[in-house]
Amino acid sequence: NAGVTQTPKFQVLKTGQSMTLQCAQDMNHNSMYWYRQDPGMGLRLIYYSASEGTTDKGEVPNGYNVSRLNKREFSLRLESAAPSQTSVYFCASSVTPGRDSYGYTFGSGTRLTVV
Amino acid sequence: AQSVTQLDSQVPVFEEAPVELRCNYSSSVSVYLFWYVQYPNQGLQLLLKYLSGSTLVESINGFEAEFNKSQTSFHLRKPSVHISDTAEYFCAVSDINTGFQKLVFGTGTRLLVSP
């Protein structure tokens, strides 16, 4: 099925542990994004990759790192997890802007709990 | 920087009643506007978008939104809601002149439809 695939779907970490959230898209999209969703705060951009080989910080990058492994894959790493990183994480992708193609495709999310 | 305001965090409504979910954005520059819907435990799906042309845009399931440049608004409406419309709705905006798509999301409005 075409789309954005995120793994894992659920994860519980202890404070201080590290982990990598994986994201892959098979739509040949150029840009990829990582958001976190918290109650009452909507979606906040953590990092994005406008094109293969580039990454940039978003609104809330502290405590995270990313890797754009290739055009398909964009991973998010938590080096030392903290309870404040308990959230639902969404990966999204988009094409280079073209009138009818504008808009993101989202993955189904990773629910992360840090205890 | 762009910002999006969704003043209503939750909107309760009875089935078959009309509903309006409000969205205002900050920028006076040319923008693209979007509404996304998130059903429980799922990712976000594009509901409708305004890129140019007619200021009234419609979705396939009966929602519509009107772009009002003077009021910097993009309110979402439906004349008669169904139980299945219960979801969280996010308004998003993107500047036209960025070289790639970078959406800024509002904090979301939870639509609760009851019998």
Side-chain angles (χ1 to χ4, degrees):
Chain A
N1 295 329
V4 178
T5 302
Q6 291 183 237
T7 55
K9 293 188 182 302
F10 302 94
Q11 184 71 49
V12 178
L13 288 179
K14 293 182 178 179
T15 298
Q17 286 185 318
S18 62
M19 79 161 294
T20 300
L21 280 64
Q22 306 287 354
C23 175
Q25 53 89 10
D26 57 6
M27 298 170 288
N28 202 35
H29 284 178
N30 297 312
S31 303
M32 298 185 73
Y33 314 82
W34 276 105
Y35 285 86
R36 60 178 289 173
Q37 183 180 23
D38 302 290
M41 304 190 76
L43 279 81
R44 293 181 292 169
L45 183 63
I46 305 171
Y47 271 93
Y48 63 95
S49 172
S51 61
E52 186 180 358
T54 69
T55 61
D56 285 286
K57 295 178 180 179
E59 182 184 355
V60 288
N62 291 343
Y64 306 95
N65 284 300
V66 291
S67 296
R68 183 74 183 267
L69 304 171
N70 48 56
K71 192 171 185 179
R72 291 186 62 248
E73 298 173 286
F74 188 40
S75 63
L76 178 71
R77 183 161 179 83
L78 288 69
E79 291 291 350
S80 179
S84 61
Q85 294 178 304
T86 294
S87 187
V88 181
Y89 291 85
F90 287 100
C91 178
S93 68
S94 67
V95 297
T96 300
R99 182 62 56 80
D100 294 327
S101 62
Y102 227 95
Y104 287 4
T105 300
F106 280 88
S108 57
T110 295
R111 189 173 296 273
L112 175 67
T113 301
V114 183
V115 297
Chain B
Q2 280 281 9
S3 67
V4 176
T5 301
Q6 293 182 249
L7 285 173
D8 304 307
S9 60
Q10 189 164 292
V11 173
V13 64
F14 289 110
E15 193 174 20
E16 298 183 5
V19 70
E20 179 179 80
L21 307 183
R22 296 178 293 168
C23 172
N24 289 88
Y25 62 95
S26 63
S27 177
S28 60
V29 300
S30 296
V31 295
Y32 294 141
L33 293 157
F34 306 82
W35 276 100
Y36 282 82
V37 59
Q38 183 182 32
Y39 298 104
N41 299 313
Q42 295 186 25
L44 280 73
Q45 305 171 33
L46 182 64
L47 185 61
L48 48 75
K49 60 187 175 185
Y50 169 78
L51 303 180
S52 66
S54 172
T55 57
L56 186 66
V57 291
E58 299 177 351
S59 72
I60 59 173
N61 58 351
F63 282 93
E64 64 180 29
E66 186 161 21
F67 169 54
N68 188 319
K69 187 174 183 179
S70 63
Q71 297 186 7
T72 59
S73 68
F74 191 55
H75 300 330
L76 182 70
R77 297 188 291 261
K78 190 171 185 179
S80 176
V81 295
H82 301 288
I83 296 285
S84 59
D85 293 324
T86 294
E88 191 153 19
Y89 292 80
F90 292 91
C91 182
V93 63
S94 177
D95 287 344
I96 286 178
N97 295 319
T98 55
F100 67 99
Q101 302 185 38
K102 188 177 179 185
L103 271 62
V104 176
F105 288 85
T107 53
T109 297
R110 189 173 300 276
L111 177 63
L112 299 170
V113 183
S114 54

